[in-house]
Structures are given as structure tokens and as C-alpha cells.
Amino acid sequence: MNKSLLTFPKGGIHPPEGKDLTEHLAVETLPIPEDVEILLNQHFGAPCTPLVKKKDQVAEGDVIGVVEKGLGAAIHSSVTGTVKTIGASAHPIAVKAPAVVIQTDTEAPPREWPESDWQALSKDELLDRVKNAGIVGIGGAGFPTHVKLSPPPAAKVDTLILNGAECEPYLTADHRLMLEQPEKVVEGAKIILRILGIKECQIAIEANKPDAIETMKTACAEASNDFNVTVSPLKVKYPQGSEKQLIQSITGRKVPGFGLPFDVGVIVQNVGTAKAIYDAVVLQKPLYEKIMTISGRGIARPANLLVKIGTRISDIVSYLGGTLPGLAKIVLGGPMMGFAVSTLDIPVTKTTSGILFLTEKEIDLRPYGQCIRCGWCLEACPMGLLPNEIGVHVEAGRAGDTSQFGVFECFECGCCAYTCPAKRPLVQFIRLAKMKAKK
């Protein structure tokens, strides 16, 4: 490994990458399903209130839900069709959530989104387009982007980092986006820079994507000189794409505990979010479809797909030829930070980055044992926390005493559980500790 590659100083692991299943596969468009279930809670904040009712006609891109009070982002129809029902649907994390089910009009032509010049727009006009398009951070927790791009006046932001690390094993959606639409990612970066009123942007890409690094370097070189957009290759180390670790890798600045990136003068956006911002501003196209990786050795045909928001997993499985014998676990997201699901009836949301169909050979089914005090989890933790103590205290019924070990600074990357020789479910212990400590 090239020692000059940027990385964060503490902890981290290098699990098997598994990206060879899909990294060479161009993005293909999933056929529009017969109906879609569009969740009204796809973002950080309050769920949307529906603006439509049963039997209403909607067009692709129409607003169907808005947040009336508090933090959130608008929801748009991903298809042209008729509202079948407004009720509750399966949610990948919250079990159930309000949703709008739309019957697709299969004869309707795709909606056109003509380009427009954004250069003359003001900062407020650019932010309005981002907000109206319902953009959220599609590489993470779904924080509303128009809010993230409005740091407090006291914050001295001078650097934008576009996160193209994609450090989770198996996932290759961002990789393909950078290879296939690099100019739109760079243009999205320039729009963000204009909104923030700064000039400096670094696109961070792990070194296991050399073709993406070269493609993005070319796109940056061909872009306008009004801004300084460059590419920063990173050492291949998980969780390189975590916001705080990424900032330290690129700038050397350390975000304080419970602090935010703007506290050290940085804003981080995913490359997919930058592309969505390009769509929102240049095309005035809302966020209602996204690129996802479908992978693992338990699916007949792995792929990178452009999928309408609200498409059920079952429709994706049918398109790719079904599942294979030996399938043991279905995970939404990456294997390190994703969530296992028990049904194929869950719809895709704005933050679904991938769906993994993993066989018994790809996961560890051994039962976990007692903590043996080896300390490997301490070495692996990129935050310098004490996951072993958190686990022991949770098992002893003392979850409320775990804040001293940094439980609320943990972002659940899973490095501790991955490296634990006793296979202890440390991330689950930490989540349980957080829930109990908040009560």
C-alpha cells in the first residue's frame, strides 16, 4: 500500500471487499414496477404529511408529502399513476411507517427535465431548488441537505469534501456513478461551493477505485477554474467514509466530541448527493430515484441498478432472477452498518445504498461468547472508545452507566464487533445501551 495515501490515525479495519461482484457492472435501469410504496418518513426529522388522497392522479416528480413543522424534506412521486391507498408500509428500521401506494400508469411517457443555466441564480434561489427537490444525504442518515448547506453564520467553513470513499464492502453504486457521470458530480460540487460561498473542494476516493480516481481527476481538470475542485486518494481502510474520520484524513482537523463538521470549517456531502443537487438545480428534477448495488452470492444476478424510490425489494429480486440456495441473510446497506430485514416487502427509500443477499459462507453464524479481555476492539475503534466495557455493563444490566465509556460518541461502524474473537454483538449492545440510557 502506498504510504502517502491519506487516512485517519486511530483504529480501523480492512474486511474482505467483495466489490468484485459488481464494480465492473454498468448501471442499468430497473423497469418501473406495477406499483410503488413511497414511505413518508425517509429522512432525519418528522415524517411528511400526505398532500394526496386515494384515487388522485399524480405525475412523476409531483410533490406528494411535505413536513409541516420541524426538520424534514419533501417527498415526490417516483411514477405517473393513481393513488391506491394511504396507510402504513414496512420500514427498514422503524418496522412500520406511513406511506402512499401509487398504481403505475404503464402507458405514461417518462417526464422530461430540460437543462437550465444555474450560474445567474442567487444563493437563496439555489438553496430553494435543493429544498424543493427533497434532497437528503443519500449516503447516510438522510439529513435534509438544505439545512446542512446552511451552517450558522459564526461557522468559518472553508472546505467542502465530497465523499466518494464507499468503504463499505460489496457496495459499488458511488464507484459506478463517478465512472459514468463524473461531470455531473463535479458540477454538483460547484453548485454546493457557490451556496457555501467558498472555493475549495476535495473529492475523497479510496485507492481501490483507481479508474474512478482518474476519471474524476479528468472531470475536475475540465471544469471551470472558478473553483478549486481536486481529487484526494485515500488509503483503503474502513470506516474511511465516516464523516469525522474523512475530515481528519483529508484536512488533519479533528471534529470535537459531539461536535459537527462545520465546527472545524468543513462540510461533507456524498458524491451521490452532489449528483442529486445537480439534478435539483440544473434540471429542477426532484430526488425520486437512485443508484443502488444489489450484491452477494445469494442473488441470481448481482447488479448496479437505477431504482425508483418506493420500489419493493421483491420487485428487484424478480428482475434479477430470484435468490439462490444458501441465502442466509438480507441486509439493507453495507454489511458493516446495514440492517438485516426479514421480508422482501420493504420499499426502497432515498437512503437505501444497497441490498445484500448473503449466504452462510459470507457471514459468521458462530454463537458469541464471554469477553476475554483481549482488547482487540479497543485497537479497532476509530473513536478511541471502550466497546468491551459497554458490552459487559449492558450484560450486567448497567446500560445506564455506559456514557463514561463513550457510548454516545459511537457511530456504530462495527469495527469492534468485526474484530472480536469471541464474536460478541458489540454494536447491538451499544444500541441497547443508548436506548436504555435515554429513558
Side-chain angles (χ1 to χ4, degrees):
M1 182 61 66
N2 186 343
K3 293 183 178 178
S4 66
L5 295 172
L6 300 173
T7 191
F8 52 94
K10 184 174 181 58
I13 58 175
H14 188 182
E17 297 180 11
K19 294 178 183 289
D20 57 315
L21 291 173
T22 56
E23 63 188 354
H24 59 290
L25 300 175
V27 177
E28 56 185 292
T29 300
L30 182 78
I32 300 175
E34 292 183 359
D35 57 16
V36 291
E37 288 186 50
I38 302 177
L39 295 171
L40 293 169
N41 185 8
Q42 302 188 31
H43 46 257
F44 187 92
C48 285
T49 300
L51 297 180
V52 294
K53 60 184 183 301
K54 188 176 180 179
K55 297 185 178 179
D56 277 357
Q57 301 293 311
V58 295
E60 177 183 338
D62 281 355
V63 180
I64 60 172
V66 294
V67 175
E68 296 180 329
K69 188 176 182 181
L71 201 60
I75 302 288
H76 300 75
S77 176
S78 58
V79 298
T80 295
T82 306
V83 176
K84 286 174 64 177
T85 59
I86 298 175
S89 294
H91 189 281
I93 299 174
V95 184
K96 290 286 185 181
V100 177
V101 180
I102 301 173
Q103 180 74 45
T104 302
D105 177 359
T106 55
E107 301 299 321
R111 187 164 176 177
E112 300 289 336
W113 301 98
E115 290 188 14
S116 62
D117 182 15
W118 62 271
Q119 298 285 350
L121 298 177
S122 69
K123 169 187 173 181
D124 289 341
E125 290 171 326
L126 293 171
L127 270 177
D128 281 344
R129 289 195 179 186
V130 172
K131 181 180 181 181
N132 293 339
I135 308 295
V136 300
I138 59 179
F143 196 83
T145 300
H146 66 280
V147 178
K148 194 171 184 179
L149 295 182
S150 306
K156 305 297 183 185
V157 174
D158 59 17
T159 302
L160 167 68
I161 296 176
L162 282 197
N163 184 357
E166 201 167 49
C167 60
E168 275 268 13
Y170 289 95
L171 302 186
T172 58
D174 289 347
H175 185 175
R176 295 307 311 183
L177 172 66
M178 291 186 286
L179 284 178
E180 298 177 31
Q181 302 184 62
E183 71 288 346
K184 295 178 181 177
V185 174
V186 175
E187 196 72 6
K190 291 163 60 180
I191 294 169
I192 299 171
L193 290 171
R194 172 72 70 77
I195 291 172
L196 294 173
I198 60 176
K199 299 288 187 181
E200 187 75 23
C201 171
Q202 297 194 49
I203 303 174
I205 307 172
E206 277 194 338
N208 58 358
K209 307 173 191 62
D211 50 355
I213 289 172
E214 292 307 313
T215 301
M216 293 305 299
K217 282 183 175 178
T218 301
C220 292
E222 294 174 350
S224 166
N225 291 327
D226 293 343
F227 303 99
N228 183 29
V229 183
T230 57
V231 175
S232 297
L234 301 170
K235 183 178 180 179
V236 181
K237 185 169 73 168
Y238 179 86
Q240 192 72 262
S242 167
E243 205 167 60
K244 291 184 177 179
Q245 278 62 43
L246 190 61
I247 290 171
Q248 195 163 11
S249 295
I250 296 293
T251 68
R253 304 172 191 173
K254 186 175 181 180
V255 180
F258 305 107
L260 294 170
F262 64 66
D263 291 327
V264 294
V266 179
I267 296 290
V268 179
Q269 293 286 352
N270 178 268
V271 290
T273 308
K275 162 60 168 55
I277 289 173
Y278 167 88
D279 289 343
V281 171
V282 177
L283 308 178
Q284 298 192 63
K285 178 183 177 181
L287 176 57
Y288 62 77
E289 59 187 10
K290 69 171 302 183
I291 298 173
M292 301 169 48
T293 298
I294 316 299
S295 191
R297 301 192 182 281
I299 186 79
R301 185 167 72 86
N304 293 299
L305 297 178
L306 179 64
V307 179
K308 298 286 188 184
I309 302 299
T311 300
R312 298 183 190 88
I313 298 175
S314 55
D315 290 317
I316 296 172
V317 171
S318 296
Y319 175 70
L320 295 177
T323 58
L324 297 177
L327 174 65
K329 181 186 282 188
I330 302 172
V331 176
L332 288 190
M336 299 301 296
M337 295 189 71
F339 288 83
V341 296
S342 58
T343 174
L344 298 179
D345 292 331
I346 294 177
V348 168
T349 72
K350 296 177 183 178
T351 61
T352 309
S353 54
I355 307 173
L356 304 183
F357 296 83
L358 304 176
T359 63
E360 292 183 2
K361 293 182 179 179
E362 296 174 285
I363 59 179
D364 194 338
L365 295 174
R366 290 176 294 167
Y368 75 90
Q370 298 296 314
C371 177
I372 59 174
R373 300 290 182 182
C374 64
W376 289 10
C377 58
L378 278 65
E379 295 180 12
C381 179
M383 296 297 290
L385 310 180
L386 302 176
N388 56 340
E389 293 294 343
I390 296 172
V392 169
H393 278 66
V394 168
E395 286 182 308
R398 296 174 57 191
D401 297 332
T402 55
S403 61
Q404 60 183 312
F405 307 120
V407 68
F408 289 111
E409 292 186 69
C410 173
F411 60 92
E412 302 171 12
C413 66
C415 286
C416 54
Y418 178 84
T419 196
C420 176
K423 313 313 299 179
R424 290 170 61 74
L426 293 169
V427 175
Q428 285 74 19
F429 285 147
I430 289 168
R431 289 174 181 161
L432 185 61
K434 288 178 179 177
M435 286 191 292
K436 288 186 174 294
K438 288 177 180 177
K439 289 182 178 178

